[in-house]
Amino acid sequence: MEIVICKTKEEASKLAADMITAAVQKNPKTILGLATGSTPVPMYTEMAKAVKEKKVSYKFVKSWNLDEYVGLPGTHDQSYRYFMNKNLFEKIDIKISNTHVLNGMAKDPEKECAKYEEQIKKAGGIDIQVLGIGSDGHIAFNEPGTSLSSRTGVVYLTPSTIKDNARLFFKGKESEVPTRALSMGVGTICEAKKIIMLAFGKNKADAVKGMVEGGMSQFCTASALQAHNDAWIFCDEESASKLKLRDYYAWRSATKLGL
Ligand code: GLP
């Protein structure tokens, strides 16, 4: 794991976006794994800026998203399909038919998940997987207690995640948040060739500490990234504040990135 520690989330988002821009410039057929949540939004804005400035094109890029709420159609303003269209897909030149988000309305959710895994495999696997982290250390919707080798499937949200995500739903009501989701598994995520994780703010400091300096455990599913050989964790000073070796990580990653 490389831990990049920036002063601000804007600075970190720009560095992460530059990494994706460079990868797509090098391989225009890059397969991206994408994430939702408020965290990646500034990075998506930077990616769109690079497209507008004609530095890069997503015309041949294909994407697969991490997860989707069960019971929300893509037209619902809290569905992750809707989020992706608004925050990224409509702002870059990607073909919408090349973007994939699990269908939360699927009649047979398990079949939908198996099909999704198959599609990713057929495409040659994810080249770069973007991730955020939940305050309880989850990645995608893989809550504490999920096997670190789990595959894409139906998952159940914890009360703490429902509470965290309620702010985005109608009147901030927890009862509006679906209790189930379709989610890529931890094992599926870790098969990506490269991982770019973003974690910002003091609300993520415990999760970052657990992911980086805790043992690898199903109680912090993000800790599975410890076994990945090309995982980059972009933090701001607040989210990195509880790391014991933060100065060392910051120096090492800055040296590797030539900053
Ligand atoms: C949800 C998503 C995760 C995301 C997390 C954090 O649970 N399934 O992929 O990382 O929210 O969201 P935020 O970035 O808004 O803190």
Side-chain angles (χ1 to χ4, degrees):
M1 266 177 169
E2 280 305 331
I3 325 296
V4 185
I5 305 172
C6 296
K7 276 211 160 52
T8 63
K9 66 175 183 189
E10 287 75 19
E11 206 181 302
S13 302
K14 172 82 171 69
L15 278 181
D18 286 351
M19 212 176 233
I20 295 178
T21 301
V24 177
Q25 282 168 339
K26 198 165 164 208
N27 172 17
K29 290 186 171 180
T30 298
I31 306 291
L32 291 179
L34 296 172
T36 54
S38 50
T39 308
V41 173
M43 182 185 79
Y44 291 155
T45 305
E46 288 294 340
M47 286 163 65
K49 207 172 142 205
V51 172
K52 211 171 164 206
E53 290 167 358
K54 301 210 179 325
K55 287 184 184 151
V56 67
S57 169
Y58 286 75
K59 222 164 135 188
F60 303 112
V61 167
K62 291 184 179 168
S63 73
W64 274 265
N65 256 78
L66 285 172
D67 46 12
E68 181 60 283
Y69 289 111
V70 167
L72 298 194
T75 47
H76 189 288
D77 65 359
Q78 286 312 320
S79 74
Y80 285 167
R81 161 53 80 182
Y82 186 91
F83 175 99
M84 289 310 300
N85 289 351
K86 293 287 156 208
N87 288 289
L88 185 66
F89 300 151
E90 287 172 9
K91 298 180 175 174
I92 59 175
D93 58 347
I94 198 166
K95 279 193 199 141
I96 207 75
S97 56
N98 280 343
T99 69
H100 305 81
V101 181
L102 284 151
N103 177 8
M105 299 299 283
K107 279 210 173 73
D108 186 339
E110 292 295 354
K111 204 169 155 193
E112 166 74 6
C113 294
K115 192 180 85 189
Y116 206 69
E117 288 257 350
E118 222 20 70
Q119 284 176 340
I120 296 172
K121 212 165 123 190
K122 229 172 135 187
I126 307 278
D127 293 310
I128 303 179
Q129 176 66 59
V130 175
L131 290 176
I133 187 168
S135 61
D136 61 2
H138 73 240
I139 47 174
F141 266 131
N142 295 292
E143 299 283 29
T146 305
S147 161
L148 297 187
S149 51
S150 66
R151 308 302 304 184
T152 306
V154 181
V155 297
Y156 292 76
L157 275 55
T158 57
S160 90
T161 295
I162 290 175
K163 198 169 164 223
D164 279 352
N165 293 0
R167 70 197 148 97
L168 303 164
F169 281 80
F170 183 63
K171 290 188 175 168
K173 278 189 183 169
E174 286 179 31
S175 57
E176 293 288 320
V177 185
T179 53
R180 292 184 306 155
L182 305 182
S183 176
M184 270 194 207
V186 183
T188 319
I189 292 168
C190 289
E191 281 169 9
K193 293 165 195 110
K194 186 184 204 73
I195 292 194
I196 292 183
M197 140 89 69
L198 306 163
F200 306 137
K202 57 176 185 297
N203 187 38
K204 300 290 169 73
D206 285 324
V208 168
K209 170 83 181 161
M211 164 176 65
V212 179
E213 293 179 343
M216 237 171 94
S217 146
Q218 62 175 356
F219 291 99
C220 174
T221 55
S223 67
L225 302 187
Q226 289 176 20
H228 197 280
N229 64 8
D230 196 12
W232 291 78
I233 319 294
F234 289 86
C235 297
D236 61 2
E237 285 186 344
E238 286 185 340
S239 67
S241 61
K242 295 196 176 171
L243 294 175
K244 202 169 148 199
L245 296 180
R246 65 178 179 275
D247 293 342
Y248 166 69
Y249 304 137
W251 164 76
R252 190 177 67 182
S253 60
T255 307
K256 285 193 181 179
L257 289 173
L259 301 174

